[in-house]
Amino acid sequence: MMKNLNLYILALSSITLFSCDDFLGDNVDPNKQLLENLGPADLLPTSIEYTSSAFYGIATGMCLYSQQLAAYTPVGANIQQEIQLEGGWSNIYLQALPDIETLNQLALDANSTGYQGIAKVLKATNLGLATDQWGDVPGSTATQGEQDFTPAFEAQEDIYIQINILLDDAIALLSQADTTVGSQDLIYGGDLTKWIKTAYFLKAKYAIHTTEVDQAAAVAEALSNVSNSYTSNADDYQLMYTTRNFNPWNAGVVLPRNTGNLTLLLSDQLVSLMDGSQLPYDVITQDPRLPLIASLSPGETEYLGAINGTNGQNQLSPSISATADLGAENFYSSQTAPIVMGSYSELMFIQAEALFLQNGGTATSTGSTAEAYTAYLTGIEANLDKVGVSTANKAAYLSDTSIAVGAANLTLELIMREKFIATFLNPESFVDLRRYNFNPAVFTGLALPENLNPDLNGKWARRAQYPASEQTRNGAEIEKVTKSIDTGVWWDKD
């Protein structure tokens, strides 16, 4: 039966949006091989690539909801309409998790604790991606193949328990001596110590998500894991793309623009946090990261983001078009750019927020500890370094009195502003907005989009809706868990 299950899982994995041939290079494409000819090294590259694709697929919608991005038309996520994230769901449940399940089984057969540990980290990543957008999802019931084509949906609280068990097991497995993992590891090249750090990063991230459930416990759990996680940008959890297999933001947004297919651009909410219009600078005039993560439209000289819910406009009357695009040479959207699924910078902002809250900080309070302030500055510096800001520009930004406020003047608004910038094109940006109930005291300048979805009655969307394909396949289970998109997930107490 196990062999049949594996064959079924591999069959599901072949349902993909593109061929893996170019990305895998000289590695074996497991979708074209019999199971008995495969080892865990053959499944790891596709498991990683599908996980990265899932991250991108989720971000395309959630970064519109969070207003890091905007669209050229007032429809869909641009006006907080229901989105189903069909691509992201398929990436997770028809590609990533099936391959990861087979990877784990082959690793068990080979007695490779390294591959087993990586499989658990990747599974936790995908389950987290799924549950944070849809709420209740299949977890332990997923990838059962012919044993269960209509899996039950499990409560998000239970999924979070599963995620932490997976990560604890991963840490134990990865801590054992195993030299079998090598170049097939497209993220860390077989360095298991960095996978351990990523497991701790994910534990810290999912802990801070639960501040509305139990703030004291969430903060304590986050801080206990931060100390075992990343110590520099070299530890970041990311997949680098190549000139053979383009970064999906490049393939999905930049290249289509060359043929007149306009899709996404930077939101005014993000650009206004970086050009001094929302939080004025003292000496500098612009965040030095802006020209590194965005490109100007042809003939333009000023970065203008689009107001969400418009036709790509920065101003309605008189009409002024937005000019800030994802560009072919920008850090996140070049052909060889990484998909960043976790970073040292993000970790430092988790630490800064946790320490701020632990010290009694609130959405409107001012002042915290020296340790919280150091974490805040370290998070900024790490992101400046990551995207390639020059030494001189970095020094100018970090010394500007609007940034270098001192521990006595640190606010949650400053921490979350910098985290919002540092997690560009990351669905975590929408997690944070929900955790703080879209509070403009925390997220400066945040406002509902123009032409807001009338079904929301002046409220924000707070979740994705289950894909139509899953409603067709598994309608009875979907019906049990479907909620309106303005209803928060378990950790979002709205």
Side-chain angles (χ1 to χ4, degrees), residues 198-277:
T198 291
Y200 280 114
F201 163 79
L202 292 172
K203 286 177 67 67
K205 182 174 85 164
Y206 292 121
I208 205 70
H209 286 184
T210 63
T211 51
E212 288 191 294
V213 178
D214 184 335
Q215 179 173 297
V219 164
E221 180 69 12
L223 291 174
S224 71
N225 288 293
V226 164
S227 60
N228 293 307
S229 188
Y230 306 143
T231 56
S232 74
N233 289 340
D235 295 330
D236 287 358
Y237 183 32
Q238 62 185 30
L239 177 62
M240 298 297 301
Y241 285 79
T242 71
T243 54
R244 295 179 66 185
N245 189 59
F246 296 171
N247 171 285
W249 292 104
N250 184 275
V253 178
V254 177
L255 292 181
R257 185 185 300 122
N258 295 338
T259 58
N261 185 8
L262 305 179
T263 54
L264 300 172
L265 65 168
L266 273 67
S267 170
D268 180 62
Q269 174 60 23
L270 177 66
V271 175
S272 66
L273 292 175
M274 303 180 77
D275 66 5
S277 59

Side-chain angles (χ1 to χ4, degrees), residues 43-114:
L43 269 294
L44 183 55
T46 54
S47 297
I48 289 172
E49 202 283 332
Y50 290 147
T51 299
S52 179
S53 293
F55 196 90
Y56 162 76
I58 298 297
T60 56
M62 290 313 184
C63 292
L64 278 161
Y65 268 177
S66 72
Q67 297 188 2
Q68 287 185 328
L69 295 173
Y72 284 91
T73 53
V75 296
N78 202 29
I79 59 170
Q80 302 277 306
Q81 284 181 326
E82 174 186 301
I83 56 174
Q84 298 184 356
L85 302 174
E86 178 82 49
W89 181 276
S90 296
N91 289 144
I92 293 168
Y93 283 104
L94 298 183
Q95 297 171 346
L97 288 178
D99 266 24
I100 292 165
E101 179 67 20
T102 307
L103 165 64
N104 186 60
Q105 292 170 6
L106 293 173
L108 283 167
D109 293 342
N111 196 30
S112 171
T113 53

Side-chain angles (χ1 to χ4, degrees), residues 144 150 164 173 184 200 209 314 332 350 352-353 367-368 393:
Q144 294 300 307
T150 57
N164 275 292
L173 288 162
Q184 298 85 3
Y200 280 114
H209 286 184
N314 173 261
Y332 295 100
I350 291 172
E353 178 193 355
S368 192
N393 286 341

Side-chain angles (χ1 to χ4, degrees), residues 75 104 149 194 244 247 267 304 319 354 391 406 428 433 442 448 457-458 466 473 481:
V75 296
N104 186 60
F149 286 113
K194 292 189 176 182
R244 295 179 66 185
N247 171 285
S267 170
L304 300 174
S319 179
T391 301
E428 194 69 9
L433 263 62
V442 178
L448 288 163
N457 295 312
Y466 297 104
R473 281 191 296 261
V481 296

Side-chain angles (χ1 to χ4, degrees), residues 142-460:
T143 66
Q144 294 300 307
E146 61 189 19
Q147 297 179 26
D148 188 359
F149 286 113
T150 57
F153 283 56
E154 299 160 77
Q156 184 180 48
E157 184 175 5
D158 293 334
I159 297 293
Y160 263 55
I161 292 171
Q162 292 177 38
I163 287 170
N164 275 292
I165 291 173
L166 285 166
L167 294 171
D168 288 338
D169 289 348
I171 291 165
L173 288 162
L174 293 164
S175 298
Q176 299 179 38
D178 184 358
T179 59
T180 62
V181 183
S183 61
Q184 298 85 3
D185 174 4
L186 302 177
I187 293 179
Y188 293 127
D191 187 340
L192 301 187
T193 64
K194 292 189 176 182
W195 281 105
I196 293 173
K197 291 180 180 182
T198 291
Y200 280 114
F201 163 79
L202 292 172
K203 286 177 67 67
K205 182 174 85 164
Y206 292 121
I208 205 70
H209 286 184
T210 63
T211 51
E212 288 191 294
V213 178
D214 184 335
Q215 179 173 297
V219 164
E221 180 69 12
L223 291 174
S224 71
N225 288 293
V226 164
S227 60
N228 293 307
S229 188
Y230 306 143
T231 56
S232 74
N233 289 340
D235 295 330
D236 287 358
Y237 183 32
Q238 62 185 30
L239 177 62
M240 298 297 301
Y241 285 79
T242 71
T243 54
R244 295 179 66 185
N245 189 59
F246 296 171
N247 171 285
W249 292 104
N250 184 275
V253 178
V254 177
L255 292 181
R257 185 185 300 122
N258 295 338
T259 58
N261 185 8
L262 305 179
T263 54
L264 300 172
L265 65 168
L266 273 67
S267 170
D268 180 62
Q269 174 60 23
L270 177 66
V271 175
S272 66
L273 292 175
M274 303 180 77
D275 66 5
S277 59
Q278 289 289 357
L279 290 171
Y281 301 116
D282 179 29
V283 176
I284 63 174
T285 59
Q286 176 180 274
D287 189 318
R289 289 169 288 189
L290 185 53
L292 298 174
I293 69 171
S295 291
L296 287 166
S297 300
E300 301 293 340
T301 59
E302 181 183 5
Y303 290 93
L304 300 174
I307 298 171
N308 289 82
T310 69
N311 292 303
Q313 296 158 283
N314 173 261
Q315 182 175 300
L316 298 179
S317 182
S319 179
I320 298 176
S321 296
T323 64
D325 297 319
L326 291 173
E329 303 300 325
N330 292 140
F331 178 81
Y332 295 100
S333 54
S334 71
Q335 290 181 357
T336 59
I339 290 291
V340 184
M341 296 179 283
S343 69
Y344 177 50
S345 176
E346 183 181 348
L347 181 77
M348 289 297 95
F349 292 124
I350 291 172
Q351 182 181 40
E353 178 193 355
L355 290 168
F356 186 87
L357 296 175
Q358 187 181 64
N359 192 54
T362 67
T364 57
S365 66
T366 300
S368 192
T369 63
E371 188 179 6
Y373 182 62
T374 297
Y376 154 78
L377 289 178
T378 303
I380 298 172
E381 184 172 13
N383 188 245
L384 293 169
D385 286 339
K386 186 170 186 66
V387 302
V389 173
S390 71
T391 301
N393 286 341
K394 180 177 74 171
Y397 187 81
L398 290 171
S399 64
D400 195 275
T401 56
S402 66
I403 306 300
V405 298
N409 294 303
L410 185 63
T411 63
L412 193 60
E413 176 187 36
L414 286 167
I415 295 170
M416 301 312 289
R417 167 207 184 183
E418 289 291 344
K419 187 181 180 187
F420 188 76
I421 295 169
T423 54
F424 183 46
L425 302 184
N426 186 328
E428 194 69 9
S429 60
F430 190 58
V431 170
D432 290 338
L433 263 62
R434 288 179 284 171
R435 289 198 297 116
Y436 285 103
N437 200 27
F438 305 90
N439 187 348
V442 178
F443 302 99
T444 309
L446 184 66
L448 288 163
E450 297 289 326
N451 301 302
L452 176 69
N453 174 10
D455 293 340
L456 289 175
N457 295 312
K459 296 186 289 186
W460 291 87

